[in-house]
Amino acid sequence: MTQPLTPLAPATLIGLFRSAIDAPLVERGAVRGLELLGRPQDFWSSLAVAELQRMAAGGNGNAQAELAWRHAHGDRVARKPAAALRWALRSAEADCPAGLAVLGWLLQHGCGLPRDEVEALRLFSLSASRGVPLAQYWMGRLRYFGVGEAATQDYPLAVRWLQPAAAQGHAAAADLLARCYFFGRGIALDRAAACLLWRQAAAGGVASASYSLGMCLYGGVEAVADPKAAITHFRAAADGGVVAAMFVLGQCATFGVGMARDPDAGLRWYRRAAEGGSREAEFELGECLAYGVGDGGRDLVAALRWWRSAAANGHVRAHLKIGHACRWGDGTAEDKQAALAWYRRAAELGDASAWVWLGECHERGEGGEVDPAAARDAYARAAAGGDVHGMAEHGRCLLYGVGGAVMPEQGEALLLAALGAGWQQARGELERHWFGRGMALLRAAHDADDPALSEAVACLRRAATSGHRRAAFMLGECLRHGTGTAIDRIEALAWLRRAAALPDAKVILGDLYYFGQGVPRNAIEAFHWYRRAAAEHQDAYAMYSCGYCLLHGEGVGRDVGAALRWLRRAAQQGETDACHELGLAYLRQGRSGRRLARRWLRAAADLGHAGARRILDEVASGLHPA
């Protein structure tokens, strides 16, 4: 139902990393927004609440701004948007830059008062121009994502604001500036600088920076890959709620990357990430449950549930998995029509391999009528999408005219391309095609001079070179007898050796060595091949040849008992020469073997052996000494 589980390659994970950190941040209310902000140094965050309240009541604008900030997100005081607004207004009215920044943030998020992005942008601009890191960060952030009144993305302007904020230690600004360096947005691409900034931001507690730094260490970006160090940062990011880090930890634990392999821990991390909304984790969790990874064992019903969730979140591959489940009834009732629909969804969403499965269903009539033309079209779409299996299937259709015209050259080219791309099953299809064509040409040839014979030899050679044993045997025979090519017994021997797994190839090899055809006569080698054919394939002629060699000491020590056993087995299968040789062997035993001699000579004569008939006549007339 599913492909074997494999870890995502670093390049693939870096792709997921880009998607994760490149997506615009979605604000989920004031508290979530504050979590993303980080802590600016200027806000007197180390002061005790009592001291801060005393200073704020005394009219200190910075203390008022810090107190407003704490009330906005419940830091060591109760979360009270109204109190946050009251203190921010008092600070801003005193023209405190920090108070302007906090008031701008409250307006930006509608915290304690109606949302007003125009006024928020004005306040951020005033505060940022006076050096407040929080305001500079927000000016950069709004330009980076193009949200609010700064609706147009402007990376160079974002960089201009983020740089001074990061230089003053604003961790969230360092994180966002690192993204600019990493992707070359608004500034020259410099991934070493990005890594340094992410280190700064991670040290400042920005979870997304820990995740990004972990991915750089995992993938070896601007440094030697260090999965163990990456794990530390992934854990910090996961503790900070970064779902993508939980997913990567699931990968690392499942496959033992940067840590000891622990499928159960991997399953737990996948589940946390899946419950946090990661469609990649939902998909992988389904895979683990389908394969029974971890102590929980297989649970196809649960696997299907997670795949459905991943599909609903836009995971393309999950559509394919659901199609497989419906097609074969894994975790749900078998439903071929539903499978067809899921395959089509996956294909239309860009999974080229889904076209192959769709084509297979059309070709077999699963979920609808048998439709070779639709199958051929689906395979062509898969091939066009770069799927090597699809290339092979489309090539097969072109070779044999499945669903359309026969196009052998194009079919061959596609199968060769699939083979070159690693789809080994294409080799068998090519072998069968070349061998079949070669044999058809051999059978269709009118005489020994028919030019089709040379084409037949060429086809057999291609199939044999690819590894087709029967083609190697037939090519050896053509070379041995000069069919469609010049006689070349040495090359014939080489091809027959490659086909030696076949019984008739072993027998012919035995004959070549016994009679010295193309090689010096070697009775020992001949007996070796005869014995293999007799023992492995019960070939009657090989049994006869073994018996003959043993009877006459050809290539092996003379052993009459063993010879008679082999000859008898061959004779019982109707081997004429074995009947004749067995009769002669008993005839040489004199009166004790006369009855058996006559029996086997008569069997040989009945099978058309002229020599056996002549000896029987001589025995009957008294001319033979027996």
Side-chain angles (χ1 to χ4, degrees):
M1 180 186 70
T2 54
Q3 296 296 317
L5 288 169
T6 55
L8 295 181
T12 306
L13 282 171
I14 290 294
L16 295 175
F17 156 54
R18 177 177 182 135
S19 299
I21 70 169
D22 199 25
L25 296 176
V26 179
E27 301 300 346
R28 299 178 184 174
V31 173
R32 177 60 178 158
L34 281 164
E35 288 172 355
L36 295 171
L37 271 175
R39 298 287 306 182
Q41 291 179 344
D42 289 31
F43 282 7
W44 299 10
S45 59
S46 63
L47 287 178
V49 173
E51 180 64 15
L52 194 63
Q53 288 175 329
R54 184 188 67 76
M55 294 178 70
N60 187 300
N62 284 318
Q64 292 166 344
E66 172 68 9
L67 196 55
W69 188 257
R70 294 192 189 185
H71 277 298
H73 73 293
D75 179 9
R76 289 167 281 180
V77 294
R79 181 178 178 273
K80 294 180 179 179
L85 177 61
R86 185 174 66 253
W87 286 115
L89 283 170
R90 288 182 63 178
S91 179
E93 287 167 356
D95 198 30
C96 175
L100 293 171
V102 175
L103 183 58
W105 189 91
L106 296 174
L107 285 164
Q108 177 72 24
H109 292 82
C111 181
L113 74 174
R115 187 169 182 155
D116 187 341
E117 293 180 346
V118 175
E119 180 62 12
L121 186 63
R122 187 186 73 81
L123 292 171
F124 282 144
S125 181
L126 282 173
S127 180
S129 64
R130 293 166 68 178
V132 175
L134 172 64
Q136 292 169 336
Y137 162 70
W138 268 93
M139 289 296 290
R141 182 182 183 282
L142 292 173
R143 292 300 181 183
Y144 184 94
F145 291 111
V147 296
E149 285 302 303
T152 302
Q153 284 182 308
D154 188 335
Y155 292 129
L157 186 55
V159 170
R160 197 184 85 186
W161 286 115
L162 291 169
Q163 283 178 323
Q168 293 184 71
H170 194 285
D175 176 39
L176 202 54
L177 183 60
R179 303 183 199 189
C180 295
Y181 276 111
F182 193 87
F183 298 117
R185 291 173 176 166
I187 197 166
L189 188 148
D190 187 341
R191 288 182 173 164
C195 290
L196 288 173
L197 283 163
W198 272 323
R199 283 190 183 279
Q200 173 189 331
V206 178
S208 59
S210 295
Y211 167 68
S212 300
L213 183 58
M215 291 306 299
C216 289
L217 290 165
Y218 183 96
V221 176
E222 296 302 317
V224 176
D226 190 346
K228 287 186 177 180
I231 295 298
T232 301
H233 294 287
F234 289 146
R235 290 188 184 280
D239 290 343
V242 177
V243 173
M246 300 173 193
F247 166 70
V248 179
L249 284 167
Q251 284 273 299
C252 292
T254 300
F255 300 103
V257 180
M259 63 171 73
R261 184 174 180 273
D262 188 345
D264 289 313
L267 205 61
R268 290 192 295 273
W269 280 116
Y270 282 147
R271 192 176 297 279
R272 281 186 62 185
E275 290 169 351
S278 168
R279 65 187 185 188
E280 293 294 336
E282 289 173 330
F283 177 80
E284 292 297 335
L285 185 55
E287 289 282 88
C288 290
L289 291 166
Y291 277 96
V293 173
D295 293 336
R298 295 186 75 199
D299 188 340
L300 294 174
V301 174
L304 183 59
R305 185 170 62 248
W306 283 111
W307 284 330
R308 287 187 184 278
S309 182
N313 284 332
H315 195 290
V316 178
R317 193 77 177 166
H319 291 76
L320 187 66
K321 296 292 186 177
I322 299 168
H324 290 334
C326 292
R327 185 180 180 187
W328 291 301
D330 291 329
T332 185
E334 184 179 301
D335 188 338
K336 304 289 188 185
Q337 288 184 329
L340 209 62
W342 281 106
Y343 286 154
R344 188 170 296 282
R345 287 182 210 171
E348 290 171 350
L349 287 169
D351 190 330
S353 68
W355 286 111
V356 179
W357 297 103
L358 200 59
E360 189 176 279
C361 289
H362 285 313
E363 193 169 5
R364 296 180 180 181
E366 295 184 20
E369 298 294 325
V370 172
D371 192 341
R376 179 166 169 160
D377 177 67
Y379 294 143
R381 287 171 178 263
D387 184 85
V388 292
H389 187 185
M391 292 163 64
E393 294 298 340
H394 189 213
R396 175 180 61 82
C397 290
L398 295 174
L399 272 184
Y400 302 112
V402 176
V406 176
M407 303 171 72
E409 291 182 3
Q410 295 90 327
E412 257 186 56
L414 275 171
L415 282 162
L416 284 169
L419 181 61
W423 188 259
Q424 292 303 314
Q425 292 90 324
R427 185 187 305 278
E429 200 65 66
L430 285 166
E431 289 173 3
R432 289 188 290 273
H433 166 65
W434 288 323
F435 176 68
R437 179 162 175 75
M439 292 303 295
L441 289 166
L442 282 177
R443 287 191 291 266
H446 296 93
D447 52 52
D449 297 323
D450 193 321
L453 290 175
S454 60
E455 187 182 348
V457 170
C459 288
L460 291 171
R461 187 179 294 279
R462 294 184 76 177
T465 301
S466 184
H468 196 286
R469 290 172 181 166
R470 180 58 62 179
F473 172 77
M474 292 305 300
L475 179 59
E477 287 293 87
C478 288
L479 289 160
R480 191 159 73 99
H481 298 290
T483 303
T485 184
I487 291 176
D488 188 335
R489 291 193 174 93
I490 294 175
E491 188 184 357
L493 186 71
W495 285 112
L496 289 165
R497 277 187 171 277
R498 289 181 67 170
L502 303 175
D504 38 4
K506 292 184 179 73
V507 170
I508 290 172
L509 283 166
D511 281 350
L512 291 177
Y513 281 108
Y514 186 86
F515 297 107
Q517 296 175 342
V519 289
R521 187 176 187 278
N522 187 334
I524 296 175
E525 186 74 7
F527 182 75
H528 162 76
W529 288 110
Y530 289 144
R531 184 170 54 188
R532 282 191 60 185
E536 296 172 18
H537 307 290
Q538 310 305 306
D539 184 88
Y541 174 79
M543 292 177 184
Y544 154 70
S545 299
C546 283
Y548 185 92
C549 290
L550 286 161
L551 191 63
H552 299 284
E554 297 266 11
V556 66
R558 190 167 183 270
D559 186 336
V560 175
L564 292 178
R565 286 193 294 274
W566 279 117
L567 289 169
R568 191 178 299 112
R569 289 178 63 185
Q572 287 169 346
Q573 292 189 40
E575 170 56 49
T576 306
D577 287 331
C579 294
H580 174 250
E581 197 63 42
L582 195 57
L584 290 178
Y586 282 120
L587 200 61
R588 284 191 287 271
Q589 290 181 5
R591 298 177 67 87
S592 63
R594 184 179 299 175
R595 183 179 59 82
L596 287 173
R598 287 178 177 173
R599 172 191 167 187
W600 289 113
L601 287 168
R602 188 173 295 110
D606 291 343
L607 290 169
H609 197 288
R613 188 175 294 112
R614 187 182 66 253
I615 293 172
L616 283 171
D617 291 342
E618 291 175 356
V619 170
S621 62
L623 296 176
H624 198 281

